[in-house]
């Protein structure tokens, strides 16, 4: 059997299709022989051809999974069965069986772990050790309970593992990288077991990650383990004083010069013109700092980090300077509040100086850092527009276009900065558009053209109607890219479609309407002639944009459009890119058309429900499926993972579809039935879904449904309690997604945004018990020790809750009951050092006065004193506008309680920034005119 199998497997590696087909038929017949499993084991241990050994291993895993029930119960229960072919092969078989079907082994984990530990302590058989580690990795996530941890003595195994790896990495480096995965499993599943050994384990990872004699893949794995541990146990890392040792170890990696004659991956140019950014030890070192920024208090991190960074920036070695800039760049997201409020001017100055550095690698790092700052440090970074825009424009005009990777970084910085400028971009438009149009018309490099097209989209987002004078030449330049059919132009074509969509949304209806029908026909022609999921994604976005400009031009084509979309929802091809934007087109359904929305939704709902079936492979026990299975796993062993990658994206956008349905023109009875299906689905997903993107998408969808449908969501008597408890569970971090997520603040904000929406949808007395339960989680984030983002979120949410209580039954009474708790929080926020926190707090004080009415009149003198002191020194125009609006709310609530002669309201009008509060001001003036016409005059 062994020789026959090896011969068949060798034939499968031949280039001749006839030989492969013949071998596949032979293999199908061989699979019916009970001796197939030991035969495959023998091939794995005896074949000299690694390709054959790998194929045998893949088949063994699949066959054992498929035919587990056919193995005799006695053999399944006896561990001797797995070791009957020699120790390494037995361990490999054991590993593959446990990977495929771990349930039957749970009663034997204690015994099994003792066995594995004994193998670990025998260092004379590296192959057996390797498979032992893989088996331990496979069972770690299933160990579970504290009692099981105690019985299996996993903590003792950690020390044994570390000693084993220390010997293993220098002798079997190829296998060591994969074997190190056991630490990730231990940290993810049983992190408490790692805690007593954190210091030793971290030092081991750093030792491997810093050793330039080892392979890059092994060093990357070790440094990635440090990143993973910081994500899970940042407080333990700080408590055990490991921050400094980690930084001291990774900075030499971050700042190391590449070997003579070579470049770092991110500084190289590849054939496509993109600078590659492959995983490298240097990249992982930067990732460690990035993770620290996301998970550690900025003050503690910067105390240890900045001396090292400043030393690098002052060095004569260009790679030291580059490392310092990379460090600043990766801090921008996680430490945004700290940088914006404490050191923005100084770090911006450092980055700007780097753009004129004599070394190109330093200049590239400076551009990357500036792009990161522009993306994460808004809006403060935009106030430096007059300094940064000329610098960027001058830099862009002097670039050597042969260095496409360098140009890419320049465009990255420029785009991120421009998109947040708004009307402030006007003085720079002539130079910007001259540069972009020149790149489109005078450059042969397709990547440069693609970058210029993308930049025009960013300019349009900021400039809007200001771009009208340049619209015709832009469209003329894009036309040739939009209709191309060549593969080499595909990336430029999709970017051109994206930019066309941006123009449709921003340039103005009068300007774009003449092109609307032509754009719809363009999209249909492209999807009919080119089978590309990314291209279809762009056409969906274009349809959505056109529906805003000229909805009527879509009506004749809706059947064709929805047919393509249904195909996309049911197909697995390109699912990771196409479903991301398929939901955009449902803006069309906000228009009254002759499309049967209910029928379309039903089809999409059906597609979603059938999704699990579509992606299930290799799970049938019938032998008649053997040929299909053989073809699948001979081609690739990744089919079983498709569902894991695609389901979250499909689910997010299925929720978006439901949200659009709930906000469209549908019968009331149909809406209520759908809500009874949708809302429980939302709530269950929030509680049980581990994927952050899914939970965020569901919370956003749920908030949108509540905002649009209001009291209809709560027709079911239990719904208020269920939704309130789901929000509370997210705020308490009692949902599954919190296991290893660095974006907890963002998720909590999505949950917190739902509280004022619920408050605006139900009688206040009904919501009060739940609101009383939720408020402490919001108020705790207003403490002075919290980040600016947390403080702003806290007082902003409180303000929105009070604003919602103004318009619901019983709102005045509930606001009055909460006033004693909320007033001190808002007053403290009005004195905050950050203008956004002050702004939200002032808005909240005005809403409190208006919502609670007479109950807070006794607090007016104190509130007016706070406003007066703040107004005397406030420079932020938005805060000043909200001070005026808050005063107006107090006057409207109780005009007699405000000393009108002493209030200089009119002197601060008109509002300059917050135009939405003009309605409040005008309403107040009307009240004043009725109350005291002479005073108004």
């Amino acid at each position: 059997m062994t020789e026959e199998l090896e011969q068949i497997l060798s034939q499968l590696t031949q280039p001749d299709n006839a030989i492969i087909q013949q071998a596949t038929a032979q293999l199908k017949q061989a699979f019916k022989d009970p001796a197939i499993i030991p035969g495959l084991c023998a091939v794995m241990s005896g074949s000299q051809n690694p390709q054959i050994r790998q194929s045998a291993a893949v088949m063994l895993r699949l066959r054992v999974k498929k035919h587990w029930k056919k193995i005799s119960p006695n053999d399944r229960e006896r561990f001797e069965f797995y070791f009957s072919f020699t120790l390494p092969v037995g361990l490999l078989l054991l590993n593959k069986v446990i990977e495929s079907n771990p349930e039957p082994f749970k009663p034997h984990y204690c015994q099994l772990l003792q066995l594995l530990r004994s193998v670990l302590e025998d260092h004379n058989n590296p192959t057996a050790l390797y498979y032992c580690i893989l088996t331990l990795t496979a069972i770690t996530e299933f160990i579970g309970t504290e009692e099981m941890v105690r019985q299996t003595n996993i903590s003792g195994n950690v020390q044994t593992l570390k000693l084993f790896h220390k010997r293993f990495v220098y002798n079997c480096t190829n296998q060591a990288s994969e074997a190190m995965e056991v630490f990730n499993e231990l940290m993810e599943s049983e992190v408490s077991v790692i805690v007593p050994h954190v210091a030793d384990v971290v030092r081991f990872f750093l030792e491997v990650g810093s050793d330039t004699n080892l392979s890059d893949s092994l060093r990357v794995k070790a440094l990635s383990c440090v990143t993973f541990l910081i994500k899970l146990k940042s407080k333990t890392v700080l408590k055990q004083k490991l921050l400094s040792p980690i930084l001291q170890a990774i900075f030499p990696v971050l700042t190391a010069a590449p070997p003579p004659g070579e470049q770092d991956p991110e500084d190289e140019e590849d054939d496509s013109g993109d600078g590659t950014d492959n995983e490298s030890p240097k990249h992982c070192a930067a990732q460690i700092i990035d993770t620290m920024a996301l998970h550690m208090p900025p003050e503690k991190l910067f105390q240890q980090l900045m001396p090292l960074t400043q030393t690098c920036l002052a060095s004569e070695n260009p790679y030291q300077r580059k490392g310092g800039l990379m460090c600043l760049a990766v801090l921008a997201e996680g430490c945004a509040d700290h940088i914006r409020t404490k050191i923005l001017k100084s770090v911006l100055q450092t980055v700007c100086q780097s753009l004129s550095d004599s070394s190109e690698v330093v200049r590239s790092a400076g551009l990357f850092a500036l792009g990161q700052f522009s993306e994460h440090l808004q809006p403060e970074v935009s106030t430096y527009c007059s300094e940064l825009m000329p610098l960027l424009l001058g830099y862009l005009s002097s670039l050597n276009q042969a260095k496409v990777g360098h140009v890419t970084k320049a465009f990255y910085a420029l785009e991120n900065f421009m998109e947040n400028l708004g009307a402030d971009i006007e003085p720079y438009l002539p130079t910007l558009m001259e540069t972009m149009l020149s790149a489109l018309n005078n450059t042969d490099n397709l990547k440069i053209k693609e970058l210029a097209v993308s930049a025009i989209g960013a300019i349009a987002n900021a400039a809007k109607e200001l771009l009208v004078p340049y619209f015709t030449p832009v469209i003329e330049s894009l036309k040739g890219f939009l209709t191309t059919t060549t593969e080499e132009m595909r990336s430029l074509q999709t970017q051109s479609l994206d930019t066309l969509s941006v123009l449709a949304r921003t340039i103005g209806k009068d300007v774009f309407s003449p092109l609307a029908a032509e754009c719809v026909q363009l999209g249909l022609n492209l999807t009919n002639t080119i089978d590309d999921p990314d291209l279809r994604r762009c056409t969906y976005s274009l349809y959505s944009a056109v529906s805003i400009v000229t909805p009527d031009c879509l009506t004749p084509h809706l059947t064709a459009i929805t047919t393509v979309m249904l195909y996309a929802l049911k197909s697995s091809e390109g699912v990771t890119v196409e479903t991301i934007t398929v939901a955009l087109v449902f803006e069309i359904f906000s228009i009254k058309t002759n499309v049967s929305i209910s029928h379309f939704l039903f089809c999409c709902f059906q597609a979603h429900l059938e999704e699990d079936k579509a992606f299930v492979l290799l799970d049938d026990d019938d032998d008649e499926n053997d040929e299909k299975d053989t073809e699948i796993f001979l081609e690739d062993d990744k089919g079983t993972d498709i569902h894991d990658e695609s389901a979250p994206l499909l689910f997010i956008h299925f929720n978006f579809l439901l949200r659009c349905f709930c906000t469209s023109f549908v019968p009331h009875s149909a809406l209520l039935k759908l809500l009874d299906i949708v809302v429980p689905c939302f709530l269950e997903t929030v509680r049980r879904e581990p994927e952050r993107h899914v939970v965020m998408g569901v919370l956003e969808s749920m908030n949108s449904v509540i905002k649009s449908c209001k009291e209809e969501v709560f027709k079911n008597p239990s719904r208020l309690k269920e939704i309130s408890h789901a929000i509370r569970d997210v705020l308490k971090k009692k949902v599954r997604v919190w296991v290893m997520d660095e974006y907890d603040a963002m998720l909590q904000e999505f949950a917190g945004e739902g509280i004022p929406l619920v408050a605006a949808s139900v009688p206040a007395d009904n919501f009060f018990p739940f609101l009383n339960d939720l408020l402490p989680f919001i108020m705790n984030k207003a403490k002075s020790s919290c980040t600016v983002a947390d403080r702003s979120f806290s007082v902003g949410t409180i303000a929105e809750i009070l604003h919602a209580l103004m318009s619901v039954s019983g709102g005045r009474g509930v606001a009055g009951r909460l006033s004693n708790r909320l007033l001190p929080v808002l007053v403290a926020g009005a004195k905050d050092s950050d203008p956004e926190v002050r702004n939200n707090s002032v808005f909240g004080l005005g809403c409190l006065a208006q919502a609670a009415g007479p109950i807070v009149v006794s607090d007016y003198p104190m509130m007016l004193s706070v406003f007066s002191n703040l107004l005397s020194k406030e420079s932020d125009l938005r805060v000043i506008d909200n001070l005026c609006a808050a005063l107006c709310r107090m006057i409207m609530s109780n005009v007699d309680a405000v000393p009108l002669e002493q209030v200089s309201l009119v002197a601060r009008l008109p509002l300059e920034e917050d135009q939405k509060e003009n309605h409040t001001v005008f309403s107040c003036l009307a009240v004043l005119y009725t109350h005291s016409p002479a005073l108004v005059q």
Side-chain angles (χ1 to χ4, degrees):
M1 184 64 171
T2 303
E3 293 179 1
E4 179 187 356
L5 273 175
E6 185 160 7
Q7 183 179 6
I8 293 172
L9 292 174
S10 67
Q11 291 174 348
L12 289 172
T13 63
Q14 302 300 314
D16 191 318
N17 286 335
I19 296 176
I20 293 175
Q21 290 178 0
Q22 180 182 358
T24 301
Q26 293 174 337
L27 194 58
K28 177 186 174 183
Q29 189 63 33
F31 279 167
K32 296 180 179 180
D33 190 331
I36 185 70
I37 290 178
L40 289 171
C41 289
V43 172
M44 285 189 298
S45 61
S47 176
Q48 299 299 312
N49 187 321
Q51 195 172 359
I52 292 177
R53 292 200 304 271
Q54 181 180 8
S55 297
V58 172
M59 293 178 195
L60 177 63
R61 179 174 74 83
L62 294 172
R63 297 315 296 176
V64 170
K65 175 183 177 182
K66 192 176 184 65
H67 292 283
W68 175 255
K69 294 178 182 178
K70 297 180 183 178
I71 299 173
S72 75
N74 289 337
D75 282 342
R76 278 187 272 158
E77 292 295 323
R78 291 187 301 110
F79 289 124
E80 291 85 351
F81 168 74
Y82 301 102
F83 297 93
S84 57
F85 309 103
T86 73
L87 183 60
V89 176
L91 283 167
L92 173 59
L93 177 57
L94 181 63
N95 171 54
K96 296 302 179 184
V97 174
I98 290 176
E99 279 185 350
S100 301
N101 196 359
E103 284 293 329
F105 291 87
K106 286 187 176 180
H108 308 287
Y109 277 168
C110 296
Q111 180 185 356
L112 186 56
L113 279 166
Q114 291 171 1
L115 172 65
L116 295 176
R117 189 176 184 186
S118 67
V119 176
L120 282 175
E121 291 171 350
D122 179 7
H123 302 135
N124 297 320
N125 194 334
T127 305
L129 287 171
Y130 170 65
Y131 293 133
C132 176
I133 291 289
L134 296 187
T135 305
L136 184 58
T137 305
I139 68 173
T140 297
E141 66 174 296
F142 301 103
I143 292 174
T145 66
E146 197 172 302
E147 174 65 16
M148 181 69 78
V149 171
R150 185 187 63 77
Q151 291 181 14
T152 56
N153 191 22
I154 254 215
S155 184
N157 271 352
V158 173
Q159 195 65 19
T160 306
L161 279 171
K162 185 178 75 68
L163 294 172
F164 155 69
H165 276 83
K166 198 159 189 174
R167 297 183 179 92
F168 201 54
V169 294
Y170 292 98
N171 298 317
C172 306
T173 54
N174 292 334
Q175 294 177 328
S177 179
E178 187 179 357
M180 204 170 284
E181 187 65 31
V182 69
F183 287 108
N184 277 355
E185 285 293 340
L186 279 171
M187 288 187 287
E188 183 175 0
S189 304
E190 297 296 340
V191 68
S192 59
V193 172
I194 287 281
V195 170
H197 308 281
V198 161
D200 284 344
V201 169
V202 166
R203 289 190 180 96
F204 166 64
F205 291 152
L206 294 175
E207 179 184 336
V208 174
S210 302
D211 193 335
T212 55
N213 294 315
L214 297 174
S215 68
D216 277 0
S217 63
L218 184 54
R219 296 175 64 198
V220 163
K221 176 64 73 173
L223 293 172
S224 298
C225 287
V226 177
T227 301
F228 199 61
L229 182 60
I230 293 170
K231 282 183 181 180
L232 297 176
K233 281 291 176 183
S234 59
K235 290 182 179 177
T236 302
V237 171
L238 289 172
K239 187 176 180 180
Q240 297 200 18
K241 302 187 186 316
L242 293 172
L243 177 57
S244 180
I246 293 174
L247 292 174
Q248 295 288 343
I250 65 171
F251 254 78
V253 179
L254 181 68
T255 60
E262 297 183 20
Q263 288 184 306
D264 288 333
E266 64 271 13
D267 294 323
E268 291 176 346
E269 302 286 330
D270 64 16
D271 293 336
S272 68
D274 286 319
T276 57
D277 191 20
N278 299 326
E279 284 264 306
S280 65
K282 181 172 290 193
H283 177 265
C284 287
Q287 204 168 42
I288 289 174
I289 298 174
D290 188 10
T291 307
M292 288 176 170
L294 288 164
H295 291 274
M296 293 180 174
E299 291 78 10
K300 293 184 178 179
L301 177 59
F302 274 63
Q303 183 181 9
Q304 302 281 347
L305 185 64
M306 291 314 291
L308 295 170
T309 305
Q310 289 164 353
T311 300
C312 290
L313 292 169
S315 172
E316 294 185 1
N317 183 327
Y319 285 95
Q320 291 271 334
R321 300 197 297 277
K322 173 190 173 179
L325 289 165
M326 293 297 292
C327 182
L328 293 178
V330 297
L331 290 170
E333 181 181 6
C335 295
D337 290 333
H338 183 86
I339 296 173
R340 284 191 298 116
T341 57
K342 302 287 178 61
I343 58 172
L344 179 57
K345 186 174 182 178
S346 62
V347 294
L348 263 181
Q349 185 178 13
T350 298
V351 170
C352 290
Q353 289 173 349
S354 72
L355 298 184
S356 58
D357 195 279
S358 59
S359 169
E360 185 174 79
V361 298
V362 177
R363 297 197 300 273
S364 287
L367 287 168
F368 175 67
L370 186 55
Q372 288 283 98
F373 287 3
S374 300
E375 184 175 355
H376 299 295
L377 303 181
Q378 296 293 344
E380 284 78 2
V381 74
S382 291
T383 61
Y384 294 88
C385 173
S386 59
E387 293 93 342
L388 291 177
M389 277 302 291
L391 190 63
L392 279 170
L393 289 172
Y395 193 82
L396 202 62
S397 65
S398 63
L399 281 175
N400 177 5
Q401 293 186 350
K403 297 285 187 179
V404 179
H406 199 56
V407 177
T408 301
K409 292 185 178 69
F411 271 95
Y412 167 68
L414 183 68
E415 279 197 36
N416 279 326
F417 193 74
M418 286 189 306
E419 285 205 328
N420 295 283
L421 289 183
D424 291 339
I425 200 173
E426 186 173 11
Y428 311 104
L429 267 181
T431 306
L432 280 168
M433 294 309 299
E434 181 184 352
T435 302
M436 301 311 155
L437 290 170
S438 175
L440 292 182
N441 299 322
N442 303 324
T443 305
D444 294 329
N445 190 294
L446 294 180
K447 182 62 181 178
I448 299 291
K449 290 180 183 287
E450 183 184 338
L451 291 168
V453 170
S454 178
I456 290 173
I459 294 169
N461 273 323
K464 297 182 171 55
E465 290 87 353
L466 294 172
L467 202 65
V468 169
Y470 307 95
F471 180 67
T472 300
V474 166
I475 292 297
E476 289 301 318
S477 297
L478 294 182
K479 279 184 178 178
F481 312 146
L482 291 168
T483 56
T484 182
T485 58
T486 62
E487 189 63 36
E488 66 173 3
M489 296 275 285
R490 186 75 64 241
S491 182
L492 176 55
Q493 183 181 36
T494 55
Q495 183 58 65
S496 298
L497 282 167
D498 278 338
T499 295
L500 185 62
S501 299
V502 173
L503 290 168
R505 294 173 184 272
T506 57
I507 202 73
K509 294 183 179 181
D510 293 340
V511 177
F512 200 86
S513 290
L515 293 177
E518 188 178 347
C519 287
V520 176
Q521 195 59 55
L522 169 68
L524 291 170
N525 292 342
L526 289 174
T527 52
N528 286 336
T529 57
I530 301 172
D531 184 15
D532 183 277
D534 200 39
L535 193 67
R536 290 195 293 272
R537 172 191 65 79
C538 296
T539 62
Y540 302 151
S541 181
L542 183 59
Y543 298 148
S544 177
V546 170
S547 74
I548 297 172
V549 179
T550 312
D552 291 342
C553 71
L554 285 163
T555 303
H557 307 289
L558 281 173
T559 301
I561 292 172
T562 53
T563 299
V564 175
M565 289 163 53
L566 278 172
Y567 167 78
L569 287 171
K570 292 180 179 180
S571 171
S572 63
E573 180 196 6
V575 70
T576 56
V577 291
E578 188 165 356
T579 59
I580 289 176
T581 53
V582 70
L584 287 173
V585 83
F586 297 123
E587 291 180 35
I588 296 168
F589 294 144
S590 64
I591 308 156
K592 292 183 179 179
T593 66
N594 58 2
V595 171
S596 172
I597 301 175
S598 300
H599 174 70
F600 185 79
L601 176 70
F602 173 77
C603 293
C604 295
F605 194 20
Q606 188 178 44
H608 173 71
L609 291 175
E610 292 177 351
E611 178 205 329
D612 284 342
K613 298 176 184 177
F615 293 110
V616 172
L617 302 174
L618 309 173
D619 64 345
D620 197 311
D621 283 330
D622 296 335
D623 285 339
E624 65 187 29
N625 289 324
D626 283 350
E627 184 172 0
K628 175 184 176 183
D629 294 349
T630 304
E631 292 170 356
I632 291 173
F633 65 63
L634 286 178
E635 179 182 351
D636 199 335
D637 189 33
K638 297 179 181 177
T640 52
D641 294 331
I642 293 177
H643 176 270
D644 294 337
E645 296 177 1
S646 63
L649 289 170
L650 285 173
F651 193 78
I652 290 172
H653 299 292
F654 174 67
N655 284 330
F656 189 98
L657 171 59
L658 292 171
R659 182 177 73 190
C660 293
F661 181 84
C662 291
T663 58
S664 299
F665 304 96
V666 296
H668 183 256
S669 58
L671 176 62
L672 292 179
K673 288 181 180 178
L674 185 63
L675 287 172
D676 278 340
I677 297 172
V678 172
V679 176
C681 183
F682 284 158
L683 298 172
E684 182 70 10
T685 306
V686 169
R687 281 193 296 268
R688 299 189 180 277
E689 173 59 46
E691 284 287 334
R692 169 178 58 88
H693 294 290
V694 176
V695 177
M696 288 171 62
V698 169
L699 287 171
E700 185 181 19
S701 295
M702 186 166 71
N703 289 344
S704 183
V705 169
I706 294 171
K707 183 177 181 179
S708 302
C709 302
K710 294 189 181 300
E711 65 274 4
E712 304 297 339
V713 176
F714 302 94
K715 290 290 186 183
N716 186 317
S718 64
R719 201 68 76 220
L720 177 60
K721 177 181 179 180
E722 293 167 351
I723 291 176
S724 299
H725 284 179
I727 294 172
R728 180 199 62 189
D729 289 346
V730 176
L731 294 175
K732 291 177 69 175
K733 305 185 181 182
K734 295 296 183 182
V735 288
R736 189 180 174 193
V737 75
W738 298 108
V739 171
M740 47 168 288
D741 195 16
E742 64 267 32
Y743 290 89
D744 55 344
M746 192 181 300
L747 273 165
Q748 288 196 318
E749 286 188 21
F750 274 107
E753 286 169 4
I755 301 174
L757 295 172
V758 177
S761 305
V762 297
D765 290 328
N766 294 357
F767 186 43
F768 179 72
F770 305 107
L771 179 59
N772 206 38
D773 189 30
L774 292 169
L775 273 176
F777 301 107
I778 302 298
M779 295 168 65
N780 282 340
K781 291 181 176 292
K783 296 175 181 177
S784 59
S785 58
C786 295
T787 65
V788 171
D790 279 346
R791 301 200 304 273
S792 177
F793 163 69
S794 175
V795 294
T797 303
I798 290 170
E800 292 293 343
I801 291 169
L802 292 168
H803 189 267
L805 291 175
M806 295 179 199
S807 58
V808 295
S809 169
R812 172 155 289 187
V814 168
R817 293 165 70 181
L818 294 173
S819 60
N820 287 338
R821 295 166 62 190
L822 300 183
L823 185 60
V825 176
L826 295 172
V827 169
K831 301 174 183 178
D832 197 275
S833 59
D834 184 81
E836 186 178 348
V837 178
R838 294 198 301 275
N839 183 70
N840 290 348
S841 300
V842 169
F843 173 64
L845 286 169
C847 291
L848 177 61
Q850 194 170 2
I855 300 174
V856 294
V857 165
S858 60
D859 296 305
Y860 270 29
M862 181 270 291
M863 294 168 65
L864 290 171
S865 175
V866 171
F867 288 174
S868 176
N869 290 334
L870 182 56
L871 197 56
S872 66
K873 55 187 177 183
E874 183 59 61
S875 59
D876 188 282
L877 295 177
R878 191 172 182 84
V879 178
I880 293 173
D881 286 352
N882 269 280
L883 280 165
C884 293
L887 184 58
C888 289
R889 294 182 191 279
M890 294 173 71
I891 292 171
M892 288 190 291
S893 179
N894 197 316
V895 66
D896 294 323
V898 179
L900 299 176
E901 295 80 3
Q902 302 174 28
V903 173
S904 57
L905 171 63
V906 178
R908 297 291 180 173
L909 298 178
L911 303 183
E912 296 190 50
E913 288 286 331
D914 197 344
Q915 303 300 324
K916 290 188 296 184
E917 287 290 14
N918 273 325
H919 176 76
T920 305
V921 173
F922 295 146
S923 299
C924 175
L925 292 175
V927 170
L928 283 173
Y929 188 79
T930 303
H931 179 267
S932 180
L935 180 64
V936 175
Q937 291 172 358

